[in-house]
Structures are given as structure tokens and as C-alpha cells.
Amino acid sequence: MLWSLPRAGGDAVALTPPDLEPTRPVYSPDGRRIALCAYRGGNFHLWTLSPDGSGLRQLTEGPWDDRGPAWSPDGTRLAFASERGGDAVTGSPYRIWVLEVRTGRLTRVTGLAGQDGPQQDGAWEDFDPCWSPDGARIFFVRGRVAGSALLSRTVASVPADGGGAARVEHTETATAQVMVPAVSPSGRLAYLRTTDYPGPTCTLVVDGEPVAVDGDVEPVPPRWISRDALLLTVGGQFRIVRPDAPQSAETIPFTARLPLDRPRYRVKDYGFERTAEGPVRGVHLPALSPDGRQVAFAALNALWLAPTSGGGAPRRIVRTDPTRYVLAPSWSRDGRSLLYADDRDGLFAVRRRDVASGEETVLATGAGCSPRCPRTAGGWPRSTCREISWCGRWPTGRSGCSPRRWVPAGCPAAPAGRRTAAIWRTATATASTAASARATTSFASWTPRPARDGCTRSPSTSRSPTATTRARCGRRTGAGWR
């Protein structure tokens, strides 16, 4: 949680909810906004809010981590470190990016072709940016990956528009690491130096010289609050330190209260799983088989089948690693197969599993895959799972959401008919009759018109239904299907 307290000390006030998980807060130059990176949603992204906690706004998004925001002196831009632009699963080196807060425009300023000479390879990482007083350059830490270790011994800078080569500002000894540089309004460079042996230690360094701070300096960013004073975290307290006179440091006292409401209640024992793993208390989207004799559900990082009568024990048919998820089981119409999604390969994929043989087929891959059964006005049962809705990467390289679908081979077309009460989902299938692992199908979303019976084709689907199997209602006109 992000907290605020008076400059003179006193009671701290919580500004953000616990689920935001913020870090690296920094005030804008005019004091009207706070920028930070937060982990809400499963990735670090940039956010802003007002000093009283209102107006929380997310600035960046995507499958990458955006970290360590730093305001430009004019308050219009934020520099930050990010792995964006690389592979969404394996990641890529961190580079320095600049965000225009008003427009959302993103510009990468380090790691550009021809910018860094022999350092332009995948082993370098750029992070912890800060701005020069005139806003012309961005300072940052440059580290080099050596095996599983990151050797970060250099403070470098680059033109804020990315239009020039990186310049080394300071390099540490072979045994020390550099982190969180900060440049004062007068141009003084401060950073933290950390060592593992003998240690570990964390030391404040200003203008290349260590500052004798009394206590344990903690590895969190120092902030210049004037031309000659820094705000540090020392031994769990906030301290104002003047590098030229560290013995006259000022401690800012504070107290903070975090109420904890821990309700006590008895957890219901569902009784259908009593193994060494204990009773199941979390079941995800149970799905009844078409004949009503079995129910499929996800629990304990696994996919299960359980009889609906007779008192038999559930049978586990798919198990994932502890760090992966399996979700959303859905039955085929004939009850012989289950569709479900899991992320064993890094991103969610839709899979079809033959219940009898255990044979599996991957139907769709990419970010955000999820199986879905149709809901129509005709009252088809949810077990009629003949379409898969997904958003993510297309085989052609496109990305995004679309009405088009992947569909298992041999799915019958949706019935045509008159409008009743809800949206029709009708398909024009290009699936061949040959048994194949999957078939490509173009779907049109048919929506009832309120003024009369019939269906109209959604303009979001550009392909006309000219395939072998068709489903339509009404007649065809020059403007499309009616």
C-alpha cells in the first residue's frame, strides 16, 4: 500500500488499496500527481494518482513489466525501464522508454540500432532512469548479464529523445553494484553502491565518494529534496541527509495503523474428495455432461470427472504443474470430448481431450484463449460446444479479438429460424468432411432486429458466407445477408 505522512512527521495515511501493490512512488515537479509502478493485474505497469489518493489511473499495459518511473523536469513525460517489445513469454532485455503522459505516446531511447556499439546485444540491461536538471538527458544503470548474475557497475546517460549514443557517466569497482541513481537540481549524481562481500552492504555515494551515513542504508531510491539534501530510508526510518554534513541528519518520525479483520467461520466440507490432498474447497466452473451422468470441473490444479450418482469418487484426468492453471472445462455435444484451457506452454491454449482414450489435440494457441459454448434463442444445451471463442495471436500474425473462431472438424451448422428473444450465433463453415485435428471456420454474428423478424449480419465480419456448409435466415441482398 502507498502511504502519506506530513513532512514534519506524524500519522501516516494509506492512499491505495492493498490489491494495487505499488512501489517506486515519485511526485511530479508541480506536486499535483504521483507516479508509481504497481503489480495489479499480474504485471508491473505505470500508474498515476493525486496526493490524496484519488484519481488513480493506469498509464501502460501489456504482457511486459514497466518499472521505476521518473518524471521529466517539465512534468510532461515519464522515463521508465521495460522489457516491452520482446517475447511475451520469455521476455527480453530491459531498455529505457519515455511515455508522454497526456498522449500515451511511447518512445524507446536505449538499445537502438547503432546507438551503443558493441554493447548492443541481448546481454545488456538498462534500468533505474532519472533525468538531468534541464531534461536534456536521461541517466540510468547499465548492467551486463553474466550467467545467472547481473553485473551493474555503470551509470550511463542518453539524450532524452534517444537521438544519440549512450555516454558513461560513472563506473564502479569490480566488486560493487550500482543502483537507483538520482541527479540533484544542481547536477550532483547520487546512487547506492551494494556489495556482497564482505557484507552485504549498501552505501550512499555522491559525486563518486561514499557518504558516512550512521545506520543501515536500505536499497530503496534516494530522493533529492533540495540542492544539497537527500531523503533516504535508514534502518526502517525516513532520514534527511546532507552529503556534506551527514552527522546532522534529521529523522522523520511516523506511526501507521493497519486494521486487520480476520473473520472466523467454518469451511464447508464438500465431501467428494478425501485423499491425502484433503477435501477440495475450490471448484472452478463445473460442467454437466450431455447425458447428465458426469460433471467435469477444475480443482487442485487439475481437471476432474465425477459421477453425478452412485457415490463414486472423482477421477483426475489432467494435472498441471503447481505454477500453472487449468480452467473452463466444456463438453462436446456427443459427450466424448472435453474442451478446456491451460497455460502449460506459457500462454493459455484451448485443448480437446478424448475422455475414453486421453488423446489431446491443441485447437487454439496465443494470449487469452478460453473455450466457450454458444447461447442461442433456440435453447441449445450448454453441452453443445461447437465453437471456441478466443482473443490473441492469429496464425497469420494478427492479434486482437474477433468474431472469427476455431472450430473442431465435423461441427454441424447452426439452425436457421425466426427471431425469438436473444442473439443468434450462426456459422458458415469451411470445414471439410475429412476427420482433421481442427478446421478453420468463419463465423458471422447474427443479431435480431427489433423492428421485425429475421437476422442481420454483423459488419465486424468481413467474409461473406460462401462455403460448403451455410446457416442463414431470410434472403441475401446487396448489402449482405438479411
Side-chain angles (χ1 to χ4, degrees), residues 7-358:
R7 163 65 178 81
D11 291 336
V13 177
L15 301 182
T16 59
D19 72 307
L20 185 64
E21 298 189 59
T23 185
R24 295 291 186 91
V26 58
Y27 271 96
S28 62
D30 61 7
R32 299 174 64 181
R33 302 291 292 172
I34 299 171
L36 49 81
C37 55
Y39 195 64
R40 177 184 285 179
N43 289 91
F44 280 105
H45 288 303
L46 303 190
W47 299 67
T48 59
L49 70 161
S50 299
D52 63 357
S54 63
L56 184 64
R57 175 190 172 201
Q58 183 174 347
L59 302 183
T60 61
E61 58 184 8
W64 306 281
D65 279 341
D66 303 324
R67 300 172 180 255
W71 287 98
S72 62
D74 61 5
T76 63
R77 293 167 292 171
L78 284 167
F80 63 99
S82 178
E83 56 181 354
R84 61 179 45 246
D87 187 89
V89 178
T90 60
S92 62
Y94 279 83
R95 303 301 187 214
I96 303 302
W97 291 70
V98 172
L99 168 72
E100 292 183 8
V101 176
R102 185 180 64 84
T103 65
R105 181 172 177 265
L106 288 164
T107 304
R108 192 173 79 174
V109 297
T110 69
L112 303 175
Q115 182 186 64
D116 300 323
Q119 297 175 351
Q120 180 57 27
D121 58 40
W124 291 86
E125 305 276 351
D126 299 331
F127 54 95
D128 287 351
C130 64
W131 295 76
S132 63
D134 60 3
R137 299 188 71 83
I138 297 175
F139 289 66
F140 59 94
V141 175
R142 168 153 287 175
R144 178 172 60 85
V145 176
S148 60
L150 175 65
L151 307 179
S152 54
R153 294 169 181 156
T154 301
V155 177
S157 70
V158 72
D161 61 0
R167 182 177 74 198
V168 174
E169 302 290 345
H170 182 78
T171 300
E172 266 293 345
T173 65
T175 59
Q177 307 284 333
V178 172
M179 62 182 297
V180 289
V183 180
S184 75
S186 59
R188 303 183 72 180
L189 175 62
Y191 60 85
L192 298 183
R193 172 200 294 162
T194 62
T195 59
D196 293 328
Y197 179 85
T201 63
C202 184
T203 304
L204 173 67
V205 178
V206 178
D207 297 331
E209 297 296 328
V211 178
V213 177
D214 184 21
D216 292 328
V217 178
E218 299 189 7
V220 294
R223 305 292 191 193
W224 289 98
I225 63 170
S226 68
R227 297 174 64 87
D228 60 357
L230 283 157
L231 174 64
L232 298 179
T233 305
V234 182
Q237 296 289 326
F238 301 126
R239 193 176 297 180
I240 305 297
V241 175
R242 290 168 174 79
D244 300 327
Q247 67 278 2
S248 61
E250 172 194 356
T251 298
I252 302 176
F254 71 93
T255 58
R257 297 175 179 84
L258 183 63
L260 176 61
D261 180 18
R262 181 175 295 171
R264 298 186 179 276
Y265 57 90
R266 295 185 63 183
V267 178
K268 181 179 179 181
D269 181 1
Y270 291 92
F272 55 76
E273 171 66 4
R274 291 187 175 89
T275 67
E277 295 170 312
V280 174
R281 294 186 172 91
V283 173
H284 182 67
L285 295 178
L288 190 64
S289 64
D291 60 10
R293 295 180 179 181
Q294 296 185 92
V295 61
F297 61 91
L300 297 174
N301 279 54
L303 191 64
W304 303 77
L305 288 181
T308 56
S309 61
R315 175 169 61 95
R316 182 169 54 206
I317 60 172
V318 175
R319 185 170 189 172
T320 62
D321 294 334
T323 58
R324 299 302 182 185
Y325 294 92
V326 59
L327 51 84
S330 186
W331 290 90
S332 63
R333 187 178 186 183
D334 58 12
R336 296 178 179 178
S337 302
L338 274 172
L339 297 183
Y340 71 97
D342 74 0
D343 61 344
R344 70 184 70 172
D345 297 325
L347 297 175
F348 275 103
V350 176
R351 304 175 187 273
R352 178 175 60 194
R353 183 181 182 89
D354 186 276
V355 175
S357 67

